[in-house]
Each structure stands twice: as structure tokens, then as C-alpha cells.
Amino acid sequence: MHKPKHYISDYVIAAICVVISLICIIPMINLLARSLSSTDALIKHEVYLFPVDINIGAYQMVLTDPKYIKAFIWTVILTIICTVVSLVMTAACAYPLIYSELKGRSVINIFITITMFFNAGTIPNYLLMQSLGLLNKPLVLILPGCLSVYNMIIMRSFFYGIPESLRESAQIDGASFFKILSSIYIPLSKPVIATLALFYAVGRWNGYSDALMYLSGPGGSKWYPLQLLLYNILNNVNSVEVATQEGFSSPGLSEALKAAIVMFSTVPILCVYPRLQKYFMSGVMVGAVKE
């Protein structure tokens, strides 16, 4: 049996991939080791890739504190709601634009594309949320980011790749506009839907800047997502007063608790990604090359 030839470039590429993988993985391993190490080892800077004097006290503190549990549950609910709403809005925007008989389609496409490169800015957006009465309310975390133009273009391009004959035959049979979307386009678009669901879910799960801006007033703190809670802890951990409020009793414990909270907020979304990865390449590449 003929063995394939291996060139030097193959080994170079493999080595580069290994190095890049290690650059991504080693910080996570270090973080996990810090979260499981004793306070003395952390104070002495003895922790690198493996835990020293394993201690799960930081995780016990996180998992038994109602503040973290409440933020975690709210973030899960918020992520699910935002993902579903965003997918509905994306499909509702992309589907009409594939109809050549839609009047003003080219103008609509131009205006939609312009929003990818220009926006009003932070202060006008804040004033808009204020005038709509959304500040310090959960809807302020859902409505402003419910549609991504980039993701809409991907879905629209994927819809273009579905044969028009399917749509025309359904129209001849008397299928309505929404019936065609729900019965033909959505079932055939599972790869791109899964891909965009991953984009929206990761973006919402990791988002904190909008919550930091829009939930700063009275009553807003009860809607803090997990990432904003983590941001506040990491940002204020050097303050003795805040450290005491958060349950830190020593510099070592604070370092272990910070690492545990980061792991606590990162692992769930990492568990979701492998389940959707098989759709990722097909969803993005097919949607990107068909027009």
C-alpha cells in the first residue's frame, strides 16, 4: 500500500497548530490549578500547571453563595431568551430579502449594510434606552442586541442557496409566506441556525458592557448577569472593604475565589460549543459563498 508523502511544511504547520493550541489551553489549565490550590501556595506563587495542596473551598464558597447562583440562573435564562429572540428576528429579516419581487430590496440591503459600519455611539444609545424607559430593566439586555446584521447576511446567503423550485412548488400548492418559511426554509437551514445560535449565545453569555452601562441605577443590580458580577469582583478585589463583602479573608483565598468564579462562568459555554461544532463550518462556509 502506497504511503502518503510527508513534507517539511506539514510538520511546520502541525508544530504551529500545537503551539497555538498550547497558548490557548495553558492559561485555562493554570486557572483551574489556581482555583483548586491552597491559599498558602497561591500566596507563595507556587502554582503553575498543577494544583498544590488541593483545596475546593473556593468552589464551595461559589456554589453555596446565593449571589452567584442567582446570577448564574439569570444568565442562563437570559442567554436562552436572547438566542431565541435573535434567531427569530434574524430569520424574519433575512427571509423577505431573498424575494426578487420585493420592492426596494436593493435600497433596504444598502441601508442594512450601512449599519454594520456606522452607529450612533454610546451616549446616543444610552439616551435612546433612557427615553424608551428601558434602563435598569431586563429588556435592556434583550432588545438592543436582538439582531446582528452580519448574522442576518449569513442566513440570507444560506437561504439563497435553497432551490427556488421548492418555494415555487409550495406557492403553487397554496402555501403562505410564513408556511414556506416554517416548512421549507427553517428545516433545511439547521446548520446555519445552529451556527448563529452559537454566535448569539456566546455573545450574550460573555456580555457585560451593556449591563454595566444600562443597569447602573436603582434596581438594576438584581438583573446583573454573571459576567458583570465577575467583572465587579475582579475590578474591586484589591479593595479591603469590597473584599470583605465578597467573602475574601486573605489574598490567597481571593485569588482562588477569582479563579473559581472565572471557571464557574466559563465551563458552561465551553460545554455547549462541542455539541454545535459539527454545524459550525457548514453553516458559516455555505452561507458565506452562496449569494
Side-chain angles (χ1 to χ4, degrees):
M1 183 176 179
H2 180 69
K3 294 183 179 180
K5 294 182 179 180
H6 295 284
Y7 299 97
I8 296 178
S9 59
D10 296 334
Y11 294 104
V12 172
I13 294 173
I16 293 174
C17 291
V18 170
V19 171
I20 294 175
S21 300
L22 290 176
I23 292 174
C24 296
I25 294 173
I26 288 177
M28 291 297 298
I29 296 175
N30 174 259
L31 195 67
L32 178 62
R34 294 171 69 84
S35 68
L36 293 172
S37 298
S38 66
T39 56
D40 292 337
L42 290 171
I43 293 173
K44 296 176 182 178
H45 302 287
E46 297 176 347
V47 181
Y48 296 101
L49 296 180
F50 300 98
V52 178
D53 300 329
I54 294 179
N55 181 11
I56 61 173
Y59 285 100
Q60 290 176 336
M61 187 176 296
V62 171
L63 295 175
T64 56
D65 193 322
K67 175 171 65 274
Y68 302 128
I69 301 301
K70 178 182 176 182
F72 177 81
I73 295 174
W74 164 236
T75 305
V76 171
I77 295 173
L78 179 64
T79 300
I80 294 173
I81 293 174
C82 288
T83 302
V84 173
V85 171
S86 296
L87 288 175
V88 171
M89 292 293 295
T90 303
C93 182
Y95 178 55
L97 294 176
I98 66 173
Y99 282 80
S100 58
E101 58 267 27
L102 177 65
K103 294 182 179 180
R105 185 178 67 158
S106 59
V107 177
I108 294 173
N109 281 324
I110 291 173
F111 278 116
I112 290 176
T113 305
I114 288 175
T115 63
M116 294 181 63
F117 306 102
F118 304 98
N119 67 58
T122 301
I123 295 177
N125 284 333
Y126 180 87
L127 295 176
L128 175 61
M129 295 301 108
Q130 186 180 48
S131 64
L132 294 174
L134 295 178
L135 295 183
N136 303 308
K137 296 179 181 179
L139 281 177
V140 79
L141 301 178
I142 301 173
L143 296 182
C146 65
L147 176 64
S148 166
V149 174
Y150 174 78
N151 292 342
M152 188 280 295
I153 291 175
I154 292 178
M155 182 170 284
R156 185 193 65 186
S157 299
F158 195 95
F159 284 170
Y160 274 129
I162 297 176
E164 290 187 11
S165 57
L166 294 177
R167 186 178 74 210
E168 292 171 352
S169 62
Q171 288 175 331
I172 293 173
D173 292 336
S176 64
F177 181 85
F178 293 102
K179 183 65 175 178
I180 296 173
L181 173 62
S182 61
S183 300
I184 297 178
Y185 280 84
I186 296 301
L188 293 177
S189 302
K190 290 181 179 179
V192 74
I193 290 174
T195 301
L196 299 186
L198 179 64
F199 286 168
Y200 282 122
V202 171
R204 180 61 271 172
W205 182 271
N206 292 331
Y208 73 93
S209 58
D210 55 346
L212 179 64
M213 184 189 313
Y214 300 136
L215 301 178
S216 57
S221 59
K222 65 180 180 180
W223 302 115
Y224 278 5
L226 184 62
Q227 300 297 339
L228 180 57
L229 184 65
L230 174 61
Y231 169 83
N232 288 334
I233 293 173
L234 298 181
N235 194 43
N236 299 316
V237 73
N238 292 325
S239 169
V240 175
E241 180 181 356
V242 174
T244 303
Q245 292 175 359
E246 297 297 342
F248 303 135
S249 58
S250 69
L253 178 59
S254 68
E255 290 299 318
L257 189 55
K258 285 194 296 183
I261 295 171
V262 173
M263 293 299 299
F264 181 68
S265 63
T266 303
V267 169
I269 202 67
L270 290 179
C271 294
V272 172
Y273 181 78
R275 298 179 180 275
L276 299 178
Q277 186 180 16
K278 61 182 179 180
Y279 298 109
F280 186 82
M281 287 302 297
S282 59
V284 173
M285 294 304 295
V286 174
V289 299
K290 292 193 176 182
E291 184 66 40

